[in-house]
Amino acid sequence: PRLMILHVDMDAFYASVEERDRPEIAGRPLIVGGLAESRGVVAAANYPAREFGVHSAMATSKALKLCPDAIILPPRMDWYSQIARQIREIFHRYTPEIEPLSLDEAFLDATGSVRLFGSVEEIGRKIKEDIWSELRLVASVGVAPNKFLAKLASDMDKPDGFTVITPDRIQEALDPLPVTRIWGVGKVTARKFHALGIQTIRDLRARSLEQLKERFGNHGEHFWKLARGIDDRIVVPDREAKSVSHETTFPTDIEDPDQLRAWLLELTEQVARRLRNSNLVARSVQLKVRYDNFDTITRSKRLEQSTSSTQAIWQTAIHMFEDKLPDRRLRVRLLGVGAGLLSSADSSDSLFPPEESPADQKSDRLDSVADSIRSKFGSSALKRGSIMQHSVEHRSQTRAEDLKDER
């Protein structure tokens, strides 16, 4: 059978879970995120809220100005993680070749399952139906010959979409789309394309590889290939992953360091919880920052000993964020945190591992208690004092700098 990839993307996942669990608020504008008075950000917004211009990564204060009647609920990340595992179990009925991108989306290669379940298109429809009938949640599904096209397809008819791009329809599907639908084309690159008279993917495809490489360097070949629907990346199953990471691409670039720190903390907590849930420890921490012009910076630091401690990973990630990035304006398109050099938590780095300090033991106990409490009451039910203190100190410092600038 021909290679066809599935991209399954849950529609407004966090908000949809909250609407499902609270039928009385269904259909009303809903924001899942932090409170405006604590400089919170929107983690998710349902479609009624999006009609007012609200989107994820937006400051909650701004979202409420756009949609004053919106209901605000705190995220319950551990509950969403449990539901994501149920969704993953549905995927596993049809294929073991699953590459999660986040809690709410994944690539699947079901090519090897067609003799059991029918075509990849049929498998995609069965997965979508199972998610709805068993979990009462809606997924949009894209089916295409590669990852780029599958992800594009899943977004074409949202919400509740199902789109198939067959090999003979690739250019028919791509050509009319705006050039901003190409991966990696943000506001800055889009302006450069528009200045060259490139508005659509068809316009981009009319340019030669040499022209694009001359204008955009190594990114030119990337743009040239995607305009033709060429993407050679394979689905990498979770079991083969050599690291655990979470990243998020913001709908609009973020310049506020406080908002970026809030996202960095959330991503760190997701990575650490995933390590603990999988009984893994990591020996390195990675930070990934993609700027508005598509420049991508990665930083990595090897730890003195392996860990799954939220505090240890956070301290390393925030140090790299604050001290190891280039001295340039922060306009961030994507932020990610990763943990690498993984091993089982039951094994040790050496024959004589160092004894844990009282502070380390306390941190481990806090993680254990926090995981338990959050699984029952949601992610916002508990915050570590040291992290909260760091945030308070930083906010005070930032506000002082803001006032100095205003003067």
Side-chain angles (χ1 to χ4, degrees):
R2 69 176 188 269
L3 176 67
M4 294 290 276
I5 302 296
L6 291 162
H7 181 254
V8 183
D9 192 7
M10 302 303 298
D11 294 333
F13 181 49
Y14 302 168
S16 295
V17 170
E18 298 300 344
E19 287 186 286
R20 182 199 70 176
D21 293 351
R22 298 172 171 84
E24 68 276 9
I25 67 173
R28 297 171 60 186
L30 172 64
I31 293 169
V32 177
L35 297 177
E37 52 266 31
S38 58
R39 302 188 70 166
V41 293
V42 176
N46 68 354
Y47 286 92
R50 293 182 191 186
E51 291 178 4
F52 290 85
V54 177
H55 56 71
S56 64
M58 175 182 285
T60 305
S61 57
K62 181 178 179 181
L64 286 175
K65 288 178 182 176
L66 295 171
C67 186
D69 296 328
I71 299 166
I72 299 180
L73 293 174
R76 298 187 290 164
M77 295 306 303
D78 288 280
W79 180 230
Y80 308 147
S81 296
Q82 289 183 42
I83 296 169
R85 283 194 289 272
Q86 293 175 308
I87 295 169
R88 197 82 49 83
E89 288 169 4
I90 292 174
F91 295 163
H92 274 287
R93 295 174 192 167
Y94 298 97
T95 176
E97 305 300 308
I98 302 162
E99 180 181 343
L101 299 181
S102 61
L103 292 181
D104 59 347
E105 62 175 322
F107 287 116
L108 289 73
D109 183 350
T111 310
S113 305
V114 295
R115 292 180 182 175
L116 287 173
F117 302 109
S119 69
V120 175
E121 295 95 317
E122 290 177 279
I123 292 171
R125 291 197 181 276
K126 288 174 182 175
I127 288 172
K128 182 177 169 69
E129 291 165 3
D130 288 353
I131 291 172
W132 171 250
S133 63
E134 296 174 30
L135 302 176
R136 282 296 181 263
L137 294 170
V138 176
S140 288
V141 177
V143 187
N146 59 50
K147 284 182 170 182
F148 166 62
L149 294 171
K151 188 168 174 64
L152 202 66
S154 70
D155 198 42
M156 282 183 168
D157 195 26
K158 272 184 167 290
D160 199 17
F162 190 94
T163 302
V164 180
I165 300 178
T166 54
D168 59 330
R169 284 191 57 241
I170 290 175
Q171 291 309 150
E172 176 189 337
L174 284 178
D175 280 355
L177 297 177
V179 73
T180 51
R181 299 299 295 276
I182 294 284
W183 277 352
V185 177
K187 290 181 180 179
V188 173
T189 307
R191 285 197 293 269
K192 293 178 181 178
F193 277 135
H194 295 162
L196 295 171
I198 299 173
Q199 300 287 338
T200 66
I201 294 180
R202 180 186 288 108
D203 297 334
L204 177 59
R205 192 162 59 90
R207 302 302 176 104
S208 69
L209 176 59
E210 291 71 24
Q211 287 175 314
L212 293 175
K213 289 181 75 172
E214 182 179 347
R215 184 69 180 81
F216 297 97
N218 291 334
H219 299 313
E221 184 174 0
H222 165 86
F223 297 143
W224 185 88
K225 285 183 174 180
L226 293 188
R228 290 158 175 75
I230 300 170
D231 180 12
D232 299 326
R233 295 168 307 146
I234 63 172
V235 171
V236 181
D238 215 13
R239 66 177 183 272
E240 297 176 13
K242 294 179 174 60
S243 64
V244 168
S245 63
H246 283 273
E247 62 183 41
T248 186
T249 300
F250 306 121
T252 58
D253 304 329
I254 294 183
E255 299 181 54
D256 181 358
D258 272 354
Q259 287 191 45
L260 291 168
R261 285 179 177 82
W263 277 104
L264 188 66
L265 175 55
E266 181 56 55
L267 293 165
T268 298
E269 289 185 326
Q270 290 185 44
V271 167
R273 284 201 299 270
R274 190 167 157 197
L275 287 173
R276 294 191 292 270
N277 288 340
S278 302
N279 197 38
L280 293 171
V281 289
R283 191 66 185 270
S284 70
V285 176
Q286 295 91 38
L287 173 70
K288 180 177 179 181
V289 178
R290 179 167 296 153
Y291 292 94
D292 58 338
N293 65 349
F294 198 51
D295 284 350
T296 302
I297 304 295
T298 58
R299 295 290 182 262
S300 180
K301 181 173 176 58
R302 190 180 177 98
L303 305 173
E304 291 185 5
Q305 62 187 79
S306 298
T307 185
S308 61
S309 160
T310 298
Q311 181 73 352
I313 296 171
W314 162 252
Q315 287 176 342
T316 306
I318 194 66
H319 168 70
M320 290 189 288
F321 178 79
E322 294 181 338
D323 297 331
K324 300 300 181 183
L325 292 180
D327 185 16
R328 59 178 287 179
R329 184 180 180 187
L330 269 180
R331 291 192 65 175
V332 176
R333 173 182 177 82
L334 175 148
L335 189 64
V337 176
L341 301 177
L342 305 182
S343 60
S344 169
D346 298 326
S347 64
S348 62
D349 290 344
S350 66
L351 289 174
F352 304 102
E355 284 190 28
E356 281 194 324
S357 69
D360 290 337
Q361 293 173 0
K362 182 179 179 181
S363 179
D364 290 344
R365 288 196 299 271
L366 281 173
D367 282 334
S368 178
V369 172
D371 289 347
S372 176
I373 291 175
R374 284 177 175 139
S375 67
K376 291 182 180 180
F377 302 109
S379 293
S380 61
L382 192 67
K383 288 289 183 186
R384 289 168 176 77
S386 57
I387 293 177
M388 289 177 68
Q389 181 63 33
H390 172 90
S391 300
V392 169
E393 289 173 352
H394 173 74
R395 283 200 297 272
S396 300
Q397 178 185 354
T398 301
R399 184 56 188 150
E401 292 170 354
D402 290 345
L403 290 170
K404 181 177 67 177
D405 292 341
E406 290 167 7
R407 289 196 297 268

